[in-house]
Each structure stands twice: as structure tokens, then as C-alpha cells.
């Protein structure tokens, strides 16, 4: 067994290095990774070296969206077998705090999340990982789809936080990877009228392909005015912000129906944003937010296996492991074209 990892060695610098195959603990499995998705956060670390308070210090392995095959079992692992294909949920939590104990483990302050400094990511051949964070993929799910469970889980958590249900009307602001997985999730949760807003025609075309009811190009039309026209001034049941821009965050107050819900997913570069709270008061609307996801992996895998969610349409580009540096370069220089690039770990 030989293990190689792609290290980020500085801003926009990457190199492949030989590393030891990790030793597994009793409760861990050794996973031979097969696919790793490139996330906006990986690209951000590579270009800028930090996200908020998380600062890359020294050489660092990126990647947190992954799936592979189990090749070794820890002595206490009973639920998984060698040869199982699994998707890895990247956030390992303490299990002891108030949030872990109440099931909201995504809020655990002591989470160790792949590719979030100081914890290395998974752009490597082999990883040792807790068995209870490895979710078995049925035979009809590929490990490529398995790697997409991570972003899908964000979209499903957004739909769940918005309490999206049968017959709901939804506006999704932003048609990047997260906007598109949110679209897939809202459809699966029963929304029957979904409008997706973006400024890039290519991304809006993907939204139509993946089942949006309609799209609005915010460069050509004012999204709020257009939705007012469509809903006769009533607004929609659920507004989900995935663009991460102050413009779209502000729009949520105007787009939501009386009694509706606003879900904030996108992370704006600004901490403080002007917002019309008077609108929200009069509408008795709920504002909620999303931090990653919790208790979603089994549901997401089931939904893919049963054909209720087809996540494969999200992947627009695929690269070989040896070409990881080129892949990141391509993603950085072709942001309009790339929705989701994945690395095949050979
Ligand atoms: N809350 C969480 O747990 C969580 C998890 C993952 C990602 N995120 C955040 O979600 C956001 C989306 O992630 P992504 O990977 O899809 O990013 P992305 O950059 O690929 O997508 C954002 C999209 O928003 C569009 N956009 C920008 N300004 C707009 C405007 N004024 N009107 C309409 N559309 C506009 C862009 O054209 C782009 O297509 C990011 O801010 C990311 O940090 C949050
Ligand atoms: Zn991600
Ligand atoms: Zn905890």
C-alpha cells in the first residue's frame, strides 16, 4: 500500500507527496479514497489562505467531499465490512456537549472537520476515519455520487430548515453548486414551484435542466419585481439564500410570503448587512440559517439510491489525482463553467 497526498504548500501552490498509510484505531476504518469533490471552500483556502478565523498554517491537505472503499477494519468495528463503498461525513464531533447530546451535532464547538485548519482534508489515497461517520453506499450508487452526498446534505439541510413541504413555492437565490443541490432537495421535499435566480446564464441553464420551474437572470431583470409579478405581490413560502451576496440577502425580506421562512445559507464577505426588518415584522416571517448539516447522510444516500434525487447532474468536470493542481487552476480560472469538479483518486 502506498499513500500519496496533495499538499497546498502556499497560496496557489500544490504538490503531491508520499505519506505514510495511516494506522487505524479500534473504532476506525481505513478507506481507499476514490472520489473527492472540489468545494468553494477548498478553492478559497488555496487562493487566500484562510476563511474567517480558520487560517492555513503550514502545508495543508484540502478536500472534504469524499467517498471510497473500506480496505481495513478496526477491531471494534462491527457495522461495516471490507469492500464496502462508503461516503464519509467530514465533521467528527465530541459526542459530549449540549449540542451533540441534543442531536444538533453540527453546532458542536469541538468539531474536527476535514480540510478546516488545523485538520487536514482527504485529497489522498488512504484515510483513517471513524466507522460511525462512514455511510455505506448501496450497489447502485457510485463513489462519485457518494462524494456528492456532502454538498447535497447542505441543500437538504437548507430545505429542512425552511420546512419545505408538498405544494410549497420556493425562491433559491444563487445557482452555484449549493443553489443547485438546494433545488434538488426542495423538489424531493415536495416544492412544486421553484424559481432560481442567478447572474450567470450557464448556471441558470443548469437549474432549468435540474428541474427549476423558472429562472431569473438578475442582470436582466429585478428578481423582486419579477417575483411580485408572478405571485401577484404575495411572495413565496420559502426563500433560500445561497448566493452569499449582500444584495440577495437584502432581497429575502421582500421575496418571502406572510408567515413564510427565509433560510440563509450563503456566507457573505461582510459581517454586517443592512436589512429591512420592518418587512419581516409585518409578515411574521421566520429567518433561519444553515451551518453544514446533521443527521442527513443516511437520508441523502437513500434518496439517491431510490432515484428520488439525481445528484450526478451536478458534476461538470472530472480530473485525475495527478492533475489536482491543474484541476484547482481550472476551477479558479473558469468559475462560470464549473459547477462541481471532482478528482478521481487513482
Ligand atoms: N451554510 C453552510 O453550511 C454552507 C455550506 C456550503 C457553502 N456555503 C456557502 O454557500 C454559498 C454558495 O456556495 P457555492 O459553492 O454554490 O458558491 P458559488 O459561488 O458557486 O455560487 C454562488 C452563486 O451566486 C450567484 N450570485 C452572486 N451574486 C448574485 C446576485 N446578486 N443575484 C443572484 N445570484 C448571484 C453567483 O453567480 C453564483 O452562481 C457560499 O457563500 C458558500 O460559502 C454555506
Ligand atoms: Zn463542501
Ligand atoms: Zn460536541
Amino acid at each position: 500500500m502506498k499513500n500519496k497526498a496533495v499538499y497546498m504548500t502556499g497560496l496557489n501552490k500544490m504538490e503531491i507527496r508520499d505519506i505514510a498509510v495511516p494506522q487505524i484505531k479500534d473504532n476506525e476504518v481505513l478507506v481507499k479514497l476514490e472520489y473527492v469533490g472540489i468545494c468553494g471552500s477548498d478553492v478559497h483556502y488555496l487562493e487566500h489562505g484562510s476563511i474567517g478565523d480558520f487560517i492555513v498554517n503550514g502545508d495543508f491537505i484540502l478536500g472534504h467531499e469524499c467517498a471510497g472503499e473500506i480496505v481495513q477494519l478496526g477491531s471494534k468495528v462491527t457495522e461495516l465490512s471490507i469492500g464496502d463503498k462508503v461516503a464519509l461525513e467530514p465533521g467528527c464531533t465530541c459526542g459530549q456537549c449540549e449540542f451533540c447530546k441534543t442531536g444538533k451535532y453540527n453546532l458542536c464547538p469541538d468539531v474536527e472537520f476535514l480540510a478546516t485548519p488545523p485538520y487536514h482534508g482527504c485529497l489522498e489515497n488512504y484515510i483513517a476515519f471513524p466507522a460511525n461517520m462512514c455511510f455505506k453506499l448501496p450497489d447502485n450508487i457510485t463513489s462519485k455520487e457518494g462524494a456528492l452526498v456532502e454538498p447535497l446534505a447542505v441543500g437538504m439541510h437548507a430545505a429542512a430548515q425552511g420546512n419545505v413541504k408538498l405544494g410549497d413555492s420556493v425562491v433559491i437565490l444563487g445557482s452555484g453548486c449549493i443553489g443547485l443541490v438546494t433545488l434538488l432537495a426542495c423538489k424531493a421535499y415536495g416544492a412544486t414551484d421553484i424559481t432560481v435566480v442567478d447572474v450567470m446564464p450557464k448556471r441558470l441553464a443548469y437549474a432549468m435542466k435540474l428541474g427549476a420551474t423558472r429562472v431569473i437572470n438578475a442582470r436582466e431583470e429585478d428578481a423582486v419585481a419579477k417575483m411580485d409579478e408572478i405571485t401577484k405581490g404575495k411572495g413565496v413560502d420559502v426563500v433560500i439564500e445561497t448566493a452569499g451576496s449582500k444584495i440577495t440577502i437584502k432581497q429575502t425580506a421582500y421575496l418571502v410570503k406572510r408567515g413564510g421562512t427565509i433560510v440563509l445559507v450563503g456566507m457573505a464577505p461582510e459581517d454586517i448587512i443592512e436589512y429591512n426588518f420592518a418587512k419581516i415584522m409585518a409578515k411574521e416571517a421566520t429567518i433561519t440559517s444553515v451551518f453544514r448539516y446533521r443527521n442527513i447522510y443516511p437520508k441523502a444516500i437513500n434518496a439517491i439510491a431510490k432515484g428520488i434525487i439525481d445528484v450526478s447532474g451536478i458534476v461538470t468536470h472530472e480530473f485525475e489525482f495527478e492533475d489536482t493542481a491543474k484541476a484547482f487552476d481550472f476551477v479558479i480560472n473558469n468559475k462560470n463553467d464549473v459547477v462541481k469538479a471532482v478528482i478521481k483518486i487513482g
Side-chain angles (χ1 to χ4, degrees):
M1 260 189 238
K2 271 198 172 164
N3 199 10
K4 287 179 189 292
V6 184
Y7 278 84
M8 163 185 170
T9 55
L11 294 187
N12 296 305
K13 277 194 210 144
M14 291 186 128
E15 67 181 53
I16 296 183
R17 291 186 190 157
D18 292 315
I19 58 167
V21 176
Q23 296 288 324
I24 52 171
K25 298 187 188 122
D26 292 348
N27 63 338
E28 289 183 337
V29 292
L30 188 67
V31 179
K32 183 174 191 299
L33 292 158
E34 293 180 345
Y35 274 94
V36 177
I38 300 181
C39 178
S41 62
D42 298 315
V43 174
H44 201 277
Y45 281 125
L46 185 64
E47 281 192 281
H48 306 284
S50 63
I51 297 179
D53 293 340
F54 295 101
I55 299 162
V56 175
N57 192 356
D59 298 349
F60 189 59
I61 306 173
L62 296 167
H64 62 265
E65 305 175 354
C66 61
E69 183 177 324
I70 295 184
V71 293
Q72 214 180 308
L73 299 173
S75 60
K76 290 191 179 146
V77 177
T78 53
E79 304 281 307
L80 294 165
S81 310
I82 287 174
D84 282 353
K85 302 266 182 184
V86 287
L88 276 55
E89 182 173 338
C92 298
T93 53
C94 81
Q96 308 299 322
C97 71
E98 163 187 1
F99 307 102
C100 284
K101 282 162 116 181
T102 53
K104 296 189 173 181
Y105 64 83
N106 58 322
L107 306 180
C108 175
D110 295 323
V111 63
E112 299 180 5
F113 201 93
L114 291 178
T116 302
Y119 306 102
H120 284 295
C122 58
L123 269 167
E124 59 201 357
N125 296 112
Y126 293 96
I127 190 168
F129 214 67
N132 66 0
M133 298 304 277
C134 296
F135 295 87
K136 186 169 157 46
L137 301 172
D139 290 342
N140 69 342
I141 299 190
T142 63
S143 50
K144 197 199 293 193
E145 290 169 307
L148 299 171
V149 171
E150 202 278 338
L152 175 61
V154 176
M156 288 179 67
H157 189 45
Q161 288 289 83
N163 188 26
V164 173
K165 55 190 181 311
L166 187 63
D168 275 356
S169 54
V170 180
V171 168
I172 299 169
L173 296 159
S175 188
C177 173
I178 297 299
L180 293 173
V181 288
T182 301
L183 163 64
L184 294 175
C186 287
K187 266 178 35 180
Y189 278 70
T192 46
D193 187 290
I194 307 175
T195 306
V196 179
V197 185
D198 206 290
V199 289
M200 296 188 201
K202 269 196 187 163
R203 297 202 160 186
L204 291 171
Y206 282 121
M208 281 313 285
K209 207 172 109 194
L210 296 178
T213 311
R214 70 187 69 77
V215 294
I216 298 173
N217 182 337
R219 280 246 163 80
E220 291 167 0
E221 278 180 297
D222 179 71
V224 172
K226 185 70 190 169
M227 286 314 296
D228 262 346
E229 184 190 318
I230 291 166
T231 66
K232 301 192 174 59
K234 286 189 187 145
V236 294
D237 296 305
V238 185
V239 182
I240 307 183
E241 201 296 315
T242 75
S245 103
K246 63 179 178 192
I247 301 169
T248 45
I249 290 170
K250 278 185 198 171
Q251 286 174 336
T252 60
Y254 300 90
L255 292 165
V256 73
K257 192 193 261 188
R258 286 166 177 254
T261 304
I262 291 164
V263 185
L264 302 176
V265 186
M267 314 242 188
E270 305 86 358
D271 288 342
I272 296 177
I273 293 168
E274 197 179 289
Y275 194 79
N276 187 341
F277 281 101
K279 278 263 172 231
I280 299 297
M281 294 303 290
K283 289 180 177 181
E284 210 175 76
T286 303
I287 303 179
T288 182
S289 66
V290 157
F291 186 61
R292 296 172 179 154
Y293 38 77
R294 54 175 173 259
N295 306 308
I296 299 259
Y297 264 59
K299 288 182 200 166
I301 290 169
N302 249 324
I304 298 170
K306 299 275 153 60
I308 293 163
I309 291 179
D310 179 4
V311 83
S312 58
I314 298 288
V315 176
T316 50
H317 296 80
E318 181 169 333
F319 297 86
E320 299 293 324
F321 183 61
E322 292 70 27
D323 297 328
T324 300
K326 273 190 211 153
F328 273 80
D329 201 46
F330 187 89
V331 171
I332 289 167
N333 291 304
N334 296 276
K335 281 184 178 153
N336 290 7
D337 294 332
V338 181
V339 173
K340 174 60 70 187
V342 294
I343 308 282
K344 184 171 189 233
I345 314 281

